[in-house]
Amino acid sequence: MKAIGITRRTLVALAGAVALSAIAPVAAQAETYTIPIIVKDTTSFYWQIVLAGARKAGADLGVNVPELGAQSEADINGQISIIENAVSSGANALVVAPTEFKALGKPIDEAAKSVPIIGIDSAADSKAFTSFLTTDNVQGGRIAADGLAAAIGAANGGKVEGDVALITNLPGAGSLEQRAKGFKEELAAKYPGLKLVADKVGDGQATTALNIMTDLLTANPDLKGVFASNLIAAQGAGQAIAENKLGDKVGLIGFDNDDKLVGFLKDGVIDALVVQDPYRMGYDGIKTALSAVKKEKVEAFVDTGANLVTTANMNEPRAQELLYPKVK
């Protein structure tokens, strides 16, 4: 067999090929960005929809998207620790749904010194967001007031009058405070016959909302309607109305949706749901963060929309898309 001669030129060429093969994976890795999404509560159906949207964006865009969050919306310190750890772990950007307006302000300011921060769903006391994607929650509250007025009118021969109440799930959450603001403003501006007799705040638990609603029904026998301003509050309020068989007497508007609330809507326990688009929030949050990392121009504020879904329109295509999002 003839020996193969290796010249100096061949050795140089081989060395160059080896060097390129070593550099190529590093270059490819440099294009793979890590953008964690940090939600308020990984166990909630609403936040699982947000995570599903973010997961799909990661797959479509070639981005590594760690799905992070506390086990409860009340775990404010837990979310702060998650943000700090994500930054120190070398994330390229963060997508964050702040649990509490005041408490998350400084942690977001600090994180933004290192990476772009894209806010979703709820505001924080910070001006450091590169972009913010959310439902216009003040408008969401107005939509709820309109929905409640319509339900009360339908149940009372067209008369839009009587006592109503508001149940907020947790104190200090920016999105919930904005919904309450819009609800109250709309009542004052358009429905003078509706009197807000109770403005209750829970502790983040559905059982507490159930107890609040039960107490409201006892203390206000002429109560005509209630706005429960998030999924957990609506679960508890709906359960109380169902247990007391008051679906025909007390109007209830919820915010967000899961199988339980959709069941209440079908059964007439809930008159309408103000439904956001959490899937879009998660998807576009990652997409916007990637654009920010690449130094592309992004919008400072994006309204992801809110819709009133009632028993009458719940079978329409857009309502079905919002009520039954893909979470897998």
PDB file of all heavy atoms in Angstrom, residues 37-71:
ATOM      1  N   ILE A  37     -39.507  33.466  31.100  1.00  0.00           N
ATOM      2  CA  ILE A  37     -40.769  34.144  31.375  1.00  0.00           C
ATOM      3  C   ILE A  37     -41.127  33.861  32.824  1.00  0.00           C
ATOM      4  O   ILE A  37     -41.104  32.702  33.265  1.00  0.00           O
ATOM      5  CB  ILE A  37     -41.888  33.717  30.403  1.00  0.00           C
ATOM      6  CG1 ILE A  37     -43.182  34.490  30.733  1.00  0.00           C
ATOM      7  CG2 ILE A  37     -42.109  32.211  30.393  1.00  0.00           C
ATOM      8  CD1 ILE A  37     -44.244  34.378  29.651  1.00  0.00           C
ATOM      9  N   ILE A  38     -41.408  34.902  33.572  1.00  0.00           N
ATOM     10  CA  ILE A  38     -41.651  34.798  35.015  1.00  0.00           C
ATOM     11  C   ILE A  38     -43.078  35.258  35.289  1.00  0.00           C
ATOM     12  O   ILE A  38     -43.389  36.450  35.217  1.00  0.00           O
ATOM     13  CB  ILE A  38     -40.640  35.645  35.809  1.00  0.00           C
ATOM     14  CG1 ILE A  38     -39.212  35.208  35.459  1.00  0.00           C
ATOM     15  CG2 ILE A  38     -40.886  35.516  37.302  1.00  0.00           C
ATOM     16  CD1 ILE A  38     -38.127  36.118  35.998  1.00  0.00           C
ATOM     17  N   VAL A  39     -43.956  34.300  35.589  1.00  0.00           N
ATOM     18  CA  VAL A  39     -45.366  34.619  35.817  1.00  0.00           C
ATOM     19  C   VAL A  39     -45.647  34.702  37.318  1.00  0.00           C
ATOM     20  O   VAL A  39     -44.777  34.478  38.154  1.00  0.00           O
ATOM     21  CB  VAL A  39     -46.282  33.579  35.140  1.00  0.00           C
ATOM     22  CG1 VAL A  39     -46.071  33.585  33.638  1.00  0.00           C
ATOM     23  CG2 VAL A  39     -46.055  32.178  35.705  1.00  0.00           C
ATOM     24  N   LYS A  40     -46.886  35.039  37.643  1.00  0.00           N
ATOM     25  CA  LYS A  40     -47.246  35.220  39.051  1.00  0.00           C
ATOM     26  C   LYS A  40     -47.461  33.895  39.774  1.00  0.00           C
ATOM     27  O   LYS A  40     -47.181  33.773  40.967  1.00  0.00           O
ATOM     28  CB  LYS A  40     -48.528  36.052  39.164  1.00  0.00           C
ATOM     29  CG  LYS A  40     -48.416  37.462  38.616  1.00  0.00           C
ATOM     30  CD  LYS A  40     -49.739  38.197  38.822  1.00  0.00           C
ATOM     31  CE  LYS A  40     -49.710  39.588  38.224  1.00  0.00           C
ATOM     32  NZ  LYS A  40     -50.962  40.309  38.488  1.00  0.00           N
ATOM     33  N   ASP A  41     -47.995  32.915  39.050  1.00  0.00           N
ATOM     34  CA  ASP A  41     -48.410  31.664  39.693  1.00  0.00           C
ATOM     35  C   ASP A  41     -48.444  30.565  38.632  1.00  0.00           C
ATOM     36  O   ASP A  41     -49.322  30.554  37.766  1.00  0.00           O
ATOM     37  CB  ASP A  41     -49.793  31.861  40.325  1.00  0.00           C
ATOM     38  CG  ASP A  41     -50.394  30.585  40.878  1.00  0.00           C
ATOM     39  OD1 ASP A  41     -49.725  29.534  40.857  1.00  0.00           O
ATOM     40  OD2 ASP A  41     -51.546  30.638  41.348  1.00  0.00           O
ATOM     41  N   THR A  42     -47.496  29.659  38.683  1.00  0.00           N
ATOM     42  CA  THR A  42     -47.403  28.614  37.655  1.00  0.00           C
ATOM     43  C   THR A  42     -48.531  27.589  37.743  1.00  0.00           C
ATOM     44  O   THR A  42     -48.726  26.806  36.814  1.00  0.00           O
ATOM     45  CB  THR A  42     -46.063  27.867  37.759  1.00  0.00           C
ATOM     46  OG1 THR A  42     -45.915  27.332  39.081  1.00  0.00           O
ATOM     47  CG2 THR A  42     -44.898  28.801  37.458  1.00  0.00           C
ATOM     48  N   THR A  43     -49.291  27.572  38.837  1.00  0.00           N
ATOM     49  CA  THR A  43     -50.347  26.571  39.009  1.00  0.00           C
ATOM     50  C   THR A  43     -51.682  27.017  38.431  1.00  0.00           C
ATOM     51  O   THR A  43     -52.569  26.195  38.214  1.00  0.00           O
ATOM     52  CB  THR A  43     -50.546  26.238  40.500  1.00  0.00           C
ATOM     53  OG1 THR A  43     -51.097  27.374  41.175  1.00  0.00           O
ATOM     54  CG2 THR A  43     -49.225  25.865  41.152  1.00  0.00           C
ATOM     55  N   SER A  44     -51.858  28.306  38.180  1.00  0.00           N
ATOM     56  CA  SER A  44     -53.131  28.842  37.712  1.00  0.00           C
ATOM     57  C   SER A  44     -53.320  28.584  36.223  1.00  0.00           C
ATOM     58  O   SER A  44     -52.389  28.687  35.429  1.00  0.00           O
ATOM     59  CB  SER A  44     -53.185  30.349  37.987  1.00  0.00           C
ATOM     60  OG  SER A  44     -54.214  30.973  37.234  1.00  0.00           O
ATOM     61  N   PHE A  45     -54.549  28.279  35.834  1.00  0.00           N
ATOM     62  CA  PHE A  45     -54.854  28.006  34.426  1.00  0.00           C
ATOM     63  C   PHE A  45     -54.529  29.209  33.554  1.00  0.00           C
ATOM     64  O   PHE A  45     -53.988  29.069  32.456  1.00  0.00           O
ATOM     65  CB  PHE A  45     -56.328  27.634  34.272  1.00  0.00           C
ATOM     66  CG  PHE A  45     -56.730  27.284  32.860  1.00  0.00           C
ATOM     67  CD1 PHE A  45     -56.275  26.133  32.252  1.00  0.00           C
ATOM     68  CD2 PHE A  45     -57.567  28.132  32.135  1.00  0.00           C
ATOM     69  CE1 PHE A  45     -56.640  25.815  30.948  1.00  0.00           C
ATOM     70  CE2 PHE A  45     -57.934  27.823  30.837  1.00  0.00           C
ATOM     71  CZ  PHE A  45     -57.468  26.673  30.240  1.00  0.00           C
ATOM     72  N   TYR A  46     -54.837  30.406  34.034  1.00  0.00           N
ATOM     73  CA  TYR A  46     -54.550  31.613  33.266  1.00  0.00           C
ATOM     74  C   TYR A  46     -53.063  31.704  32.935  1.00  0.00           C
ATOM     75  O   TYR A  46     -52.680  31.946  31.788  1.00  0.00           O
ATOM     76  CB  TYR A  46     -54.994  32.849  34.054  1.00  0.00           C
ATOM     77  CG  TYR A  46     -54.623  34.157  33.394  1.00  0.00           C
ATOM     78  CD1 TYR A  46     -55.429  34.708  32.414  1.00  0.00           C
ATOM     79  CD2 TYR A  46     -53.463  34.845  33.751  1.00  0.00           C
ATOM     80  CE1 TYR A  46     -55.092  35.908  31.794  1.00  0.00           C
ATOM     81  CE2 TYR A  46     -53.110  36.031  33.147  1.00  0.00           C
ATOM     82  CZ  TYR A  46     -53.933  36.563  32.172  1.00  0.00           C
ATOM     83  OH  TYR A  46     -53.588  37.747  31.563  1.00  0.00           O
ATOM     84  N   TRP A  47     -52.233  31.495  33.948  1.00  0.00           N
ATOM     85  CA  TRP A  47     -50.784  31.618  33.729  1.00  0.00           C
ATOM     86  C   TRP A  47     -50.241  30.448  32.922  1.00  0.00           C
ATOM     87  O   TRP A  47     -49.236  30.582  32.220  1.00  0.00           O
ATOM     88  CB  TRP A  47     -50.060  31.774  35.068  1.00  0.00           C
ATOM     89  CG  TRP A  47     -50.446  33.061  35.716  1.00  0.00           C
ATOM     90  CD1 TRP A  47     -51.181  33.238  36.849  1.00  0.00           C
ATOM     91  CD2 TRP A  47     -50.156  34.384  35.239  1.00  0.00           C
ATOM     92  NE1 TRP A  47     -51.370  34.567  37.104  1.00  0.00           N
ATOM     93  CE2 TRP A  47     -50.750  35.292  36.127  1.00  0.00           C
ATOM     94  CE3 TRP A  47     -49.458  34.876  34.137  1.00  0.00           C
ATOM     95  CZ2 TRP A  47     -50.660  36.679  35.956  1.00  0.00           C
ATOM     96  CZ3 TRP A  47     -49.372  36.247  33.956  1.00  0.00           C
ATOM     97  CH2 TRP A  47     -49.963  37.133  34.863  1.00  0.00           C
ATOM     98  N   GLN A  48     -50.906  29.314  32.974  1.00  0.00           N
ATOM     99  CA  GLN A  48     -50.499  28.202  32.121  1.00  0.00           C
ATOM    100  C   GLN A  48     -50.739  28.529  30.647  1.00  0.00           C
ATOM    101  O   GLN A  48     -49.972  28.108  29.770  1.00  0.00           O
ATOM    102  CB  GLN A  48     -51.257  26.940  32.519  1.00  0.00           C
ATOM    103  CG  GLN A  48     -50.784  26.356  33.857  1.00  0.00           C
ATOM    104  CD  GLN A  48     -51.665  25.238  34.362  1.00  0.00           C
ATOM    105  OE1 GLN A  48     -52.513  24.728  33.641  1.00  0.00           O
ATOM    106  NE2 GLN A  48     -51.475  24.863  35.610  1.00  0.00           N
ATOM    107  N   ILE A  49     -51.793  29.312  30.368  1.00  0.00           N
ATOM    108  CA  ILE A  49     -52.035  29.753  28.991  1.00  0.00           C
ATOM    109  C   ILE A  49     -50.931  30.715  28.555  1.00  0.00           C
ATOM    110  O   ILE A  49     -50.416  30.633  27.434  1.00  0.00           O
ATOM    111  CB  ILE A  49     -53.412  30.436  28.871  1.00  0.00           C
ATOM    112  CG1 ILE A  49     -54.535  29.476  29.275  1.00  0.00           C
ATOM    113  CG2 ILE A  49     -53.635  30.908  27.426  1.00  0.00           C
ATOM    114  CD1 ILE A  49     -55.882  30.152  29.403  1.00  0.00           C
ATOM    115  N   VAL A  50     -50.555  31.635  29.456  1.00  0.00           N
ATOM    116  CA  VAL A  50     -49.458  32.564  29.154  1.00  0.00           C
ATOM    117  C   VAL A  50     -48.182  31.776  28.842  1.00  0.00           C
ATOM    118  O   VAL A  50     -47.484  32.052  27.855  1.00  0.00           O
ATOM    119  CB  VAL A  50     -49.222  33.529  30.335  1.00  0.00           C
ATOM    120  CG1 VAL A  50     -47.977  34.383  30.091  1.00  0.00           C
ATOM    121  CG2 VAL A  50     -50.431  34.434  30.544  1.00  0.00           C
ATOM    122  N   LEU A  51     -47.885  30.789  29.680  1.00  0.00           N
ATOM    123  CA  LEU A  51     -46.682  29.968  29.478  1.00  0.00           C
ATOM    124  C   LEU A  51     -46.749  29.195  28.168  1.00  0.00           C
ATOM    125  O   LEU A  51     -45.732  29.035  27.480  1.00  0.00           O
ATOM    126  CB  LEU A  51     -46.505  29.005  30.655  1.00  0.00           C
ATOM    127  CG  LEU A  51     -46.183  29.641  32.013  1.00  0.00           C
ATOM    128  CD1 LEU A  51     -46.143  28.573  33.104  1.00  0.00           C
ATOM    129  CD2 LEU A  51     -44.868  30.400  31.972  1.00  0.00           C
ATOM    130  N   ALA A  52     -47.940  28.734  27.802  1.00  0.00           N
ATOM    131  CA  ALA A  52     -48.084  28.002  26.542  1.00  0.00           C
ATOM    132  C   ALA A  52     -47.765  28.903  25.351  1.00  0.00           C
ATOM    133  O   ALA A  52     -47.109  28.482  24.393  1.00  0.00           O
ATOM    134  CB  ALA A  52     -49.495  27.433  26.412  1.00  0.00           C
ATOM    135  N   GLY A  53     -48.223  30.138  25.413  1.00  0.00           N
ATOM    136  CA  GLY A  53     -47.908  31.082  24.349  1.00  0.00           C
ATOM    137  C   GLY A  53     -46.420  31.353  24.262  1.00  0.00           C
ATOM    138  O   GLY A  53     -45.841  31.399  23.164  1.00  0.00           O
ATOM    139  N   ALA A  54     -45.783  31.523  25.419  1.00  0.00           N
ATOM    140  CA  ALA A  54     -44.335  31.761  25.456  1.00  0.00           C
ATOM    141  C   ALA A  54     -43.571  30.551  24.934  1.00  0.00           C
ATOM    142  O   ALA A  54     -42.579  30.694  24.205  1.00  0.00           O
ATOM    143  CB  ALA A  54     -43.913  32.082  26.892  1.00  0.00           C
ATOM    144  N   ARG A  55     -44.041  29.361  25.281  1.00  0.00           N
ATOM    145  CA  ARG A  55     -43.398  28.118  24.843  1.00  0.00           C
ATOM    146  C   ARG A  55     -43.440  28.001  23.308  1.00  0.00           C
ATOM    147  O   ARG A  55     -42.452  27.642  22.670  1.00  0.00           O
ATOM    148  CB  ARG A  55     -44.113  26.936  25.482  1.00  0.00           C
ATOM    149  CG  ARG A  55     -43.430  25.590  25.347  1.00  0.00           C
ATOM    150  CD  ARG A  55     -44.267  24.512  26.029  1.00  0.00           C
ATOM    151  NE  ARG A  55     -44.678  24.940  27.359  1.00  0.00           N
ATOM    152  CZ  ARG A  55     -45.928  24.885  27.815  1.00  0.00           C
ATOM    153  NH1 ARG A  55     -46.905  24.418  27.048  1.00  0.00           N
ATOM    154  NH2 ARG A  55     -46.223  25.299  29.030  1.00  0.00           N
ATOM    155  N   LYS A  56     -44.595  28.332  22.739  1.00  0.00           N
ATOM    156  CA  LYS A  56     -44.740  28.277  21.282  1.00  0.00           C
ATOM    157  C   LYS A  56     -43.830  29.306  20.615  1.00  0.00           C
ATOM    158  O   LYS A  56     -43.197  29.018  19.584  1.00  0.00           O
ATOM    159  CB  LYS A  56     -46.196  28.539  20.897  1.00  0.00           C
ATOM    160  CG  LYS A  56     -46.479  28.436  19.391  1.00  0.00           C
ATOM    161  CD  LYS A  56     -46.235  27.023  18.894  1.00  0.00           C
ATOM    162  CE  LYS A  56     -46.821  26.766  17.517  1.00  0.00           C
ATOM    163  NZ  LYS A  56     -46.264  27.605  16.454  1.00  0.00           N
ATOM    164  N   ALA A  57     -43.740  30.484  21.204  1.00  0.00           N
ATOM    165  CA  ALA A  57     -42.845  31.505  20.645  1.00  0.00           C
ATOM    166  C   ALA A  57     -41.406  31.031  20.684  1.00  0.00           C
ATOM    167  O   ALA A  57     -40.655  31.222  19.719  1.00  0.00           O
ATOM    168  CB  ALA A  57     -42.993  32.814  21.420  1.00  0.00           C
ATOM    169  N   GLY A  58     -41.018  30.406  21.780  1.00  0.00           N
ATOM    170  CA  GLY A  58     -39.666  29.879  21.880  1.00  0.00           C
ATOM    171  C   GLY A  58     -39.371  28.864  20.796  1.00  0.00           C
ATOM    172  O   GLY A  58     -38.301  28.887  20.176  1.00  0.00           O
ATOM    173  N   ALA A  59     -40.341  27.983  20.545  1.00  0.00           N
ATOM    174  CA  ALA A  59     -40.164  26.967  19.505  1.00  0.00           C
ATOM    175  C   ALA A  59     -40.101  27.597  18.112  1.00  0.00           C
ATOM    176  O   ALA A  59     -39.279  27.214  17.274  1.00  0.00           O
ATOM    177  CB  ALA A  59     -41.307  25.959  19.568  1.00  0.00           C
ATOM    178  N   ASP A  60     -40.955  28.571  17.869  1.00  0.00           N
ATOM    179  CA  ASP A  60     -40.997  29.211  16.552  1.00  0.00           C
ATOM    180  C   ASP A  60     -39.756  30.057  16.274  1.00  0.00           C
ATOM    181  O   ASP A  60     -39.290  30.135  15.133  1.00  0.00           O
ATOM    182  CB  ASP A  60     -42.234  30.109  16.436  1.00  0.00           C
ATOM    183  CG  ASP A  60     -43.532  29.332  16.323  1.00  0.00           C
ATOM    184  OD1 ASP A  60     -43.477  28.096  16.157  1.00  0.00           O
ATOM    185  OD2 ASP A  60     -44.602  29.959  16.424  1.00  0.00           O
ATOM    186  N   LEU A  61     -39.238  30.687  17.318  1.00  0.00           N
ATOM    187  CA  LEU A  61     -38.165  31.668  17.146  1.00  0.00           C
ATOM    188  C   LEU A  61     -36.781  31.126  17.499  1.00  0.00           C
ATOM    189  O   LEU A  61     -35.784  31.834  17.357  1.00  0.00           O
ATOM    190  CB  LEU A  61     -38.456  32.908  17.997  1.00  0.00           C
ATOM    191  CG  LEU A  61     -39.789  33.609  17.706  1.00  0.00           C
ATOM    192  CD1 LEU A  61     -40.055  34.690  18.738  1.00  0.00           C
ATOM    193  CD2 LEU A  61     -39.799  34.196  16.301  1.00  0.00           C
ATOM    194  N   GLY A  62     -36.713  29.886  17.975  1.00  0.00           N
ATOM    195  CA  GLY A  62     -35.430  29.306  18.344  1.00  0.00           C
ATOM    196  C   GLY A  62     -34.837  29.897  19.604  1.00  0.00           C
ATOM    197  O   GLY A  62     -33.624  30.053  19.720  1.00  0.00           O
ATOM    198  N   VAL A  63     -35.699  30.231  20.558  1.00  0.00           N
ATOM    199  CA  VAL A  63     -35.279  30.840  21.817  1.00  0.00           C
ATOM    200  C   VAL A  63     -35.481  29.855  22.958  1.00  0.00           C
ATOM    201  O   VAL A  63     -36.510  29.166  23.020  1.00  0.00           O
ATOM    202  CB  VAL A  63     -36.092  32.130  22.096  1.00  0.00           C
ATOM    203  CG1 VAL A  63     -35.726  32.721  23.447  1.00  0.00           C
ATOM    204  CG2 VAL A  63     -35.859  33.151  20.997  1.00  0.00           C
ATOM    205  N   ASN A  64     -34.519  29.778  23.869  1.00  0.00           N
ATOM    206  CA  ASN A  64     -34.674  28.980  25.078  1.00  0.00           C
ATOM    207  C   ASN A  64     -35.521  29.776  26.062  1.00  0.00           C
ATOM    208  O   ASN A  64     -35.148  30.879  26.476  1.00  0.00           O
ATOM    209  CB  ASN A  64     -33.296  28.688  25.676  1.00  0.00           C
ATOM    210  CG  ASN A  64     -33.387  27.894  26.962  1.00  0.00           C
ATOM    211  OD1 ASN A  64     -34.273  27.059  27.135  1.00  0.00           O
ATOM    212  ND2 ASN A  64     -32.475  28.157  27.895  1.00  0.00           N
ATOM    213  N   VAL A  65     -36.670  29.219  26.452  1.00  0.00           N
ATOM    214  CA  VAL A  65     -37.616  29.945  27.303  1.00  0.00           C
ATOM    215  C   VAL A  65     -37.877  29.175  28.593  1.00  0.00           C
ATOM    216  O   VAL A  65     -38.817  28.370  28.677  1.00  0.00           O
ATOM    217  CB  VAL A  65     -38.952  30.201  26.565  1.00  0.00           C
ATOM    218  CG1 VAL A  65     -39.903  31.000  27.456  1.00  0.00           C
ATOM    219  CG2 VAL A  65     -38.714  30.953  25.259  1.00  0.00           C
ATOM    220  N   PRO A  66     -37.078  29.388  29.641  1.00  0.00           N
ATOM    221  CA  PRO A  66     -37.388  28.788  30.949  1.00  0.00           C
ATOM    222  C   PRO A  66     -38.721  29.343  31.470  1.00  0.00           C
ATOM    223  O   PRO A  66     -38.963  30.549  31.409  1.00  0.00           O
ATOM    224  CB  PRO A  66     -36.222  29.244  31.832  1.00  0.00           C
ATOM    225  CG  PRO A  66     -35.116  29.556  30.875  1.00  0.00           C
ATOM    226  CD  PRO A  66     -35.789  30.102  29.654  1.00  0.00           C
ATOM    227  N   GLU A  67     -39.569  28.449  31.962  1.00  0.00           N
ATOM    228  CA  GLU A  67     -40.887  28.853  32.468  1.00  0.00           C
ATOM    229  C   GLU A  67     -40.821  28.914  33.987  1.00  0.00           C
ATOM    230  O   GLU A  67     -40.750  27.885  34.668  1.00  0.00           O
ATOM    231  CB  GLU A  67     -41.940  27.858  31.994  1.00  0.00           C
ATOM    232  CG  GLU A  67     -42.040  27.783  30.478  1.00  0.00           C
ATOM    233  CD  GLU A  67     -42.963  26.687  29.987  1.00  0.00           C
ATOM    234  OE1 GLU A  67     -43.764  26.165  30.802  1.00  0.00           O
ATOM    235  OE2 GLU A  67     -42.891  26.339  28.788  1.00  0.00           O
ATOM    236  N   LEU A  68     -40.844  30.117  34.529  1.00  0.00           N
ATOM    237  CA  LEU A  68     -40.597  30.341  35.951  1.00  0.00           C
ATOM    238  C   LEU A  68     -41.776  31.040  36.611  1.00  0.00           C
ATOM    239  O   LEU A  68     -42.584  31.684  35.959  1.00  0.00           O
ATOM    240  CB  LEU A  68     -39.330  31.179  36.137  1.00  0.00           C
ATOM    241  CG  LEU A  68     -38.062  30.683  35.420  1.00  0.00           C
ATOM    242  CD1 LEU A  68     -36.934  31.686  35.609  1.00  0.00           C
ATOM    243  CD2 LEU A  68     -37.667  29.304  35.936  1.00  0.00           C
ATOM    244  N   GLY A  69     -41.845  30.924  37.930  1.00  0.00           N
ATOM    245  CA  GLY A  69     -42.885  31.606  38.690  1.00  0.00           C
ATOM    246  C   GLY A  69     -43.072  30.955  40.043  1.00  0.00           C
ATOM    247  O   GLY A  69     -42.623  29.832  40.279  1.00  0.00           O
ATOM    248  N   ALA A  70     -43.727  31.673  40.928  1.00  0.00           N
ATOM    249  CA  ALA A  70     -44.014  31.151  42.265  1.00  0.00           C
ATOM    250  C   ALA A  70     -45.225  30.220  42.217  1.00  0.00           C
ATOM    251  O   ALA A  70     -45.831  30.013  41.158  1.00  0.00           O
ATOM    252  CB  ALA A  70     -44.256  32.313  43.224  1.00  0.00           C
ATOM    253  N   GLN A  71     -45.566  29.667  43.360  1.00  0.00           N
ATOM    254  CA  GLN A  71     -46.718  28.769  43.458  1.00  0.00           C
ATOM    255  C   GLN A  71     -47.990  29.505  43.858  1.00  0.00           C
ATOM    256  O   GLN A  71     -49.059  28.920  43.932  1.00  0.00           O
ATOM    257  CB  GLN A  71     -46.431  27.671  44.484  1.00  0.00           C
ATOM    258  CG  GLN A  71     -45.264  26.774  44.107  1.00  0.00           C
ATOM    259  CD  GLN A  71     -45.527  25.972  42.849  1.00  0.00           C
ATOM    260  OE1 GLN A  71     -46.439  25.161  42.811  1.00  0.00           O
ATOM    261  NE2 GLN A  71     -44.739  26.207  41.803  1.00  0.00           N
TER     262      GLN A  71
END
